């Protein structure tokens, strides 16, 4: 089980990171993928228009990346109200101090300012557990920065099961470190930094973005030797142009390769890499996404209703 917050367009970093992993998982396992609109509200409650506009676009990106709605259950978090009900029930047994000590809580308060210190934001890790527990997911791909969230969720499951008897599945994380995809400015690609290459862009826009990328600042003239290890254009070649990497690396170091040519080759390789994804995206009927999401929610709700019934029975609710 995994999910993404619909807070804007998806980019190359999502494609070679989480989405490629989702596609791999869905080849061998039963998979649930959630558009986490309620999670998005915890930090973007003043921009709910962006959330609404991003839901369908994000699902189009997922399917274009290869996530197959026939094999995976794809749904919107708020379309499965059992998640919210489970959240309420579990909130009765979770000490506030457990939530306050989740490291990302304090970090985000500092990063995003006091306005984010809402009741909903405090409960964010519990809602994450509910996303997982409601579909009885046993495996969750997590990055290192999310291990604390998962451990918190496992503690909540253990507490619930010891209070009311074995009811909820304790999820296991599979540690997944995605390659850091540098953005056009050399920092990690992120929509908040405005340095992305978006899945939904066309080739002309992508090429322009690659042309604007920073390079090694010490390689001023074409024949100056460069340092590929600090150059985001070289990192791009490492992702989309693997066979030519050894030659480009050697030629950059000796000064035989100029940045203009290197970027042009990078843009061409990127266009080739993105071609099947973009063709698939263009062939999709956006209206069909609504059907996929309706079917996904209906399927998820069957499992969710059974889990919720078990939880209520365990808690002896009438
Ligand atoms: S030649 Fe390529 S890898 Fe080397 S500094 Fe220029 S853009 Fe970067």
């Amino acid at each position: 089980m995994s999910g993404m917050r619909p807070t804007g367009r998806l980019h190359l970093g999502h494609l070679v990171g989480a989405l490629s992993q989702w596609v791999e998982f869905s080849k061998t396992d039963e998979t649930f993928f959630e558009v986490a609109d309620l999670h998005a509200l915890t930090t973007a409650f003043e921009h709910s228009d962006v959330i609404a506009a991003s839901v369908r676009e994000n699902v189009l990106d997922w399917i274009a990346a290869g996530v197959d709605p026939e094999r995976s259950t794809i749904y919107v978090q708020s379309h499965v109200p059992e998640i919210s009900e489970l959240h309420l029930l579990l909130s009765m047994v979770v000490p506030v101090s457990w939530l306050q000590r989740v490291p990302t809580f304090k970090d985000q308060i500092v990063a995003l300012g006091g306005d984010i210190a809402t009741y909903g934001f405090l409960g964010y890790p519990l809602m994450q557990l509910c996303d997982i527990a409601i579909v009885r997911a046993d495996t969750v791909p997590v990055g290192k920065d999310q291990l604390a969230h998962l451990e918190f969720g496992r503690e909540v499951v253990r507490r619930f099961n010891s209070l009311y008897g074995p009811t909820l599945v304790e999820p296991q994380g599979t540690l997944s470190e995605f390659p850091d995809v540098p953005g056009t400015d050399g920092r990690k690609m992120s929509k908040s930094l405005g340095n992305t290459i978006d899945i939904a862009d066309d080739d002309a826009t992508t090429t322009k973005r690659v042309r604007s990328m920073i390079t090694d600042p010490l390689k001023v003239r074409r024949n100056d030797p460069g340092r590929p290890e600090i150059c985001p254009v070289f990192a791009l070649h490492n992702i989309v142009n693997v066979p030519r990497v050894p030659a480009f690396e050697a030629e950059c170091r000796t000064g035989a390769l100029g940045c203009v040519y290197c970027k042009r080759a990078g843009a061409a390789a990127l266009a080739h890499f993105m071609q099947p994804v973009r063709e698939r995206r263009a062939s999709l009927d956006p209206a069909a996404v609504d059907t996929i999401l309706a079917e996904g929610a209906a399927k998820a709700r069957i499992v969710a209703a059974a889990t919720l019934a078990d939880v209520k029975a365990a808690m002896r609710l009438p």
Side-chain angles (χ1 to χ4, degrees), residues 276-292:
V277 178
R278 289 182 171 156
E279 279 179 2
R280 213 163 21 236
R281 202 180 193 286
S283 71
L284 294 167
D285 172 8
V289 170
D290 297 342
T291 310
I292 289 166

Side-chain angles (χ1 to χ4, degrees), residues 215-216 219 226 228 231 233-234 252 257-259 262-263:
T215 60
D216 177 1
K219 186 169 161 61
C231 177
V233 180
F234 185 72
C252 172
L257 180 66
C259 294
C262 187
K263 285 181 174 181

Side-chain angles (χ1 to χ4, degrees), residues 61-144:
D61 286 336
W62 294 2
I63 298 170
V67 177
D68 181 352
E70 297 287 326
R71 299 177 78 111
S72 304
T73 306
I74 299 174
Y75 53 97
V76 179
Q77 188 182 25
S78 65
H79 295 178
V80 183
E82 290 80 3
I83 298 169
S84 300
E85 196 172 343
L86 181 63
H87 185 221
L88 177 69
L89 294 175
L90 294 191
S91 73
M92 305 302 167
V93 302
V94 177
V96 172
S97 59
W98 287 17
L99 286 157
Q100 285 170 327
R101 72 169 191 239
V102 174
T104 45
F105 177 67
K106 281 188 191 145
D107 294 350
Q108 293 258 31
I109 297 274
V110 172
L112 299 171
D115 283 355
I116 218 70
T118 61
Y119 176 48
F121 183 66
L122 178 67
Y124 184 103
L126 182 60
M127 179 84 87
Q128 268 188 334
L129 168 70
C130 294
D131 296 331
I132 298 162
I134 201 81
V135 293
R136 302 182 195 279
D138 54 8
T139 311
V140 191
V142 279
K144 268 193 195 128

Side-chain angles (χ1 to χ4, degrees), residues 233-254:
V233 180
F234 185 72
L236 179 68
H237 281 288
N238 257 322
I239 296 166
V240 301
N241 202 15
V242 176
R244 295 185 75 187
V245 161
F248 274 36
E249 181 171 11
E251 289 170 19
C252 172
R253 287 192 196 288
T254 61

